Amino acid sequence: MKSKRKYHEILKNENLKSTKHRHAIIEILDNNKYPITADDIFIKIKEKGHSISLSTVYRTLDTLTARDIVIKSSIADKNQAIYELNRNRHHHYLLCVKCRKILTVGNCPLEEYEKMLEDRFGFKIKGHNLEVFGYCTECAVKENL
Amino acid sequence: MKSKRKYHEILKNENLKSTKHRHAIIEILDNNKYPITADDIFIKIKEKGHSISLSTVYRTLDTLTARDIVIKSSIADKNQAIYELNRNRHHHYLLCVKCRKILTVGNCPLEEYEKMLEDRFGFKIKGHNLEVFGYCTECAVKENL
DNA sequence: TTGGTTGCAAAACGTTTGCATGTGC
DNA sequence: GCACATGCAAACGTTTTGCAACCAA
C-alpha cells in the first residue's frame, strides 16, 4: 500500500513512531479536502470499526501540529479547533455561512500588503490567516441571492 | 459625563435597557485599542472595585454581538473568543506572536481578490477575516530579528 | 528492554443555562 | 408592575492531564 509507506516516511522524518492510530489519523486528514475537528476524526475512525480514544486523537494532533505536519486553526466565532494536513502550499479558507462547507483556495493576494505593514508598523511578519465567507453556489441559489 | 450619554444612546437605539454593567462593559471595550476576552473584561470591572458575574459579561457580550454593537472573533489556534467594539470600519488584526499584542489595522487589500473568488468559485461573498502575525518592533529587537 | 504511545477517567477550561431575585422604564 | 437583567451554581462541550498498561524500535 503506497500511502501507508508515505505516512511512515512522514513520521520517521520527525522521529515519531509509526502506530496504527497515527496512520489512521494522517490518512483521514490526507483524504479530507476540508479541515475537520478532532471529534470528526474520532468518529471516522470508529466508523471504520477501529477503536481509539479521543485523547489519543488530541494528543496525536498536538504532536503533528508541533512538527508542522498538521495545521491547527479555528474559525471566526466558533470555539472548536479544526485540523488539516500541511500540504506546504499557502492557501486560504472560503466558508459557506449556510451549509458550513469549507473550501481551500490557493491564491494569495497579500504579499504586498504584508510589505506595507512591515514598513508602516515595524512588524516582522511571519504569516497570516485569511477566511473569506459567504454563500456557496448551491446555497446562494436556495436563498435567492 | 459625555461618554455615559453616548453609551446610553447606543443601548437605547437597540431597545436595550441602560444598566451599570452594560455601561461598564461598553466603556471597557471603547477604551481598549485591542480586542479582549470576556474574562479580561470581568477582571477589569473587578479591579475597579465593582462586582459583576462572569455570566453577565458573557450574556451582555452576546446581546451586544447580536446587535452588531460588538464584534466577536477568535484567533488562529486559540480557543477563546475575543471581543471589540464595532467601530464600523473594516479592519484587520496584526498580532505579535511573542508578546501577544494585537493591533488593529485599517487598510484592506482584498476587494479585488473577493471579486476573483466570486467569479471562480461562484461564491456570493459576504465578508472576510484576516489576521497577520509576526513580531512587533519591540519583540523583533529582543529576538534579534 | 525501554522510552514513547495509548486508554481511561478525571480535571480543566471557556462558555451557557435554569431559576430565583433584582431593577430600569 | 412588568419585562428584562442579573447572580449563582450547576451543566455543558471541548481539550488536557495523570497514571498504569502497552507496544514499536
Side-chain angles (χ1 to χ4, degrees), chain A residues 8 17-18 54-55 58-59 62 72 80-81:
Chain A
H8 182 77
K17 286 183 181 167
S18 270
L54 185 54
S55 54
Y58 276 109
R59 266 194 281 232
D62 276 0
K72 176 181 181 181
Q80 191 172 189

Side-chain angles (χ1 to χ4, degrees), chain B residues 4 36 43 47-48 50 52-53 74 97 118 127 142:
Chain B
K4 200 174 164 184
I36 52 178
I43 289 167
E47 278 172 355
K48 288 184 185 167
H50 304 127
I52 190 171
S53 151
S74 79
V97 298
E118 294 210 326
K142 283 184 208 150

Side-chain angles (χ1 to χ4, degrees), chain B residues 17-18 54-55 58-59 80-81:
Chain B
K17 288 182 181 169
S18 269
L54 185 54
S55 54
Y58 276 109
R59 266 194 279 233
Q80 193 173 186

Side-chain angles (χ1 to χ4, degrees), chain A residues 77-137:
Chain A
D77 57 345
K78 287 261 303 172
N79 52 337
Q80 191 172 189
I82 54 174
Y83 300 86
E84 67 187 306
L85 215 53
N86 181 0
R87 297 178 202 276
N88 293 317
R89 298 190 280 104
H90 185 74
H91 65 255
H92 298 126
Y93 298 135
L94 189 52
L95 319 167
C96 180
V97 297
K98 183 93 188 307
C99 70
R100 299 269 140 198
K101 184 188 310 173
I102 304 174
L103 296 182
T104 302
V105 299
N107 259 355
C108 177
L110 292 169
E111 280 170 41
E112 284 172 36
Y113 184 64
E114 291 192 347
K115 282 201 202 84
M116 182 278 283
L117 292 175
E118 294 209 327
D119 290 348
R120 185 144 143 223
F121 293 94
F123 252 67
K124 189 80 204 152
I125 289 174
K126 289 292 169 187
H128 60 253
N129 294 315
L130 172 62
E131 314 160 11
V132 181
F133 51 87
Y135 293 86
C136 70
T137 316

Side-chain angles (χ1 to χ4, degrees), chain B residues 19 36 53 56 67 75 143-145:
Chain B
T19 69
I36 52 178
S53 151
T56 300
R67 322 266 167 149
I75 282 180
E143 300 279 307
N144 286 320
L145 292 174

